[in-house]
Amino acid sequence: MENILSKKPLVTICFLAYNCEKFLAKSINPLLKQTYSNFEFIISNNQSTDGTEKLIHSLQKKHSNIIYRKNISQVKTEEFYDVANKDFALKSNKFYDICLDHCNGFVQSNLAKGEYIIFCHQDDIYHEDIIEKEAEFLTNNPKVMAVFTLGNIINENDKIIGQYNLPKELSEKNIYNFQEVFTAVMKYGNSFLVAPTFMVRKEIFDKLGLFEAYGQFGGSGDLEMWLRILEKYSVGILHENLIDFRISGRGKQYNTLRTEKSDFFDVMDYFLIDKQYIKKINKKNLRQYNYQKNADDTLRSMNFLIKGNMQESKKLINTSFSWDFFITSAEDINIFKIKILILKVVLFLGINLGLGKYLGKILYKLL
């Protein structure tokens, strides 16, 4: 490996911190202990009100390669939380926009000097060889512009409760083009491109522009960037779990009781309709994508019901029944499809039989 990387490119680790005192050391320490030595570490603290800043300064005293900058973005994260809610539920998905804005800030401010850049989450745990393996991959594959890895899913107690799996259609190789990834995303959603493992060549931002933040794609602006890259270049996915992704935490509760349409579909419809990729998609793939929309409507109907909005819940569930849904449910049957099917039937019968109020209470307790 040393021969391959005898001239190791500089990697910039861009780290956004906001009120993350509880998990900060767990996330930062493995990044500082990386087996890859040629990196710089930049932390942007977005107006934290807990002990985050104090902890960062204590780490900075021990590690001279930490560069600390306060507020690369002037937008305050707390503005997008319902602070009266003890669970800090998001008012909107704007937290993700703030994250993307910070990613842009690292690039625009010229702070990031690395040839490769990785944007790290504040509460995830990175394996100590992730930088080395991703940097090696980009160095060995000069035509590949970005690389991801797979990962474990952990809870707030660091217990592994799941993992990100690569679609079987992509399992035979590790370098992909637009059509391969886009088709897989249509079928499986944005479920295998693990955002905080994204390492990219810095030059891509000069060629293709920055992340789209505070715009039409909301919390899925990162997916739009990845597909934008794939339109012209290849990306890689390492078939290794090199991150422990914490499923809880601020910013990650967006989907909890979400009643608005997922931003994911805004991105996909933009490429399908506005950019006319729908002309290259076969009927089966399109049916699989429409199934995802239908499944999302089912979950939104449940959330409306739990929140007591019977009218919107009934409207969504009654309009979501279609032959395509049941046909696609039977294709490549899996546990998720079975759960959605059961939920859809329960909601339809419960609401239309006048039992919606009681069903909503039961679902709330189950959740």
Side-chain angles (χ1 to χ4, degrees), residues 21 45 72 89 93 107 139 160 162-163 192 195 200 214 242 245 260 295 297 307 311 322 331 363:
E21 179 183 13
N45 178 25
I72 284 180
N93 63 350
V107 178
T139 301
I160 295 177
Q163 65 180 9
F192 57 91
V200 64
Y214 307 111
L242 297 179
F245 180 90
E260 67 272 21
D297 285 344
K307 290 184 174 183
Q311 184 176 356
S322 68
E331 296 172 347
L363 290 170

Side-chain angles (χ1 to χ4, degrees), residues 44-48 68-75 102:
S44 171
N45 178 25
N46 187 27
Q47 306 178 52
S48 295
Y68 176 62
R69 291 292 182 272
K70 197 169 185 177
N71 305 332
I72 284 180
S73 169
Q74 294 303 309
V75 180
H102 270 76

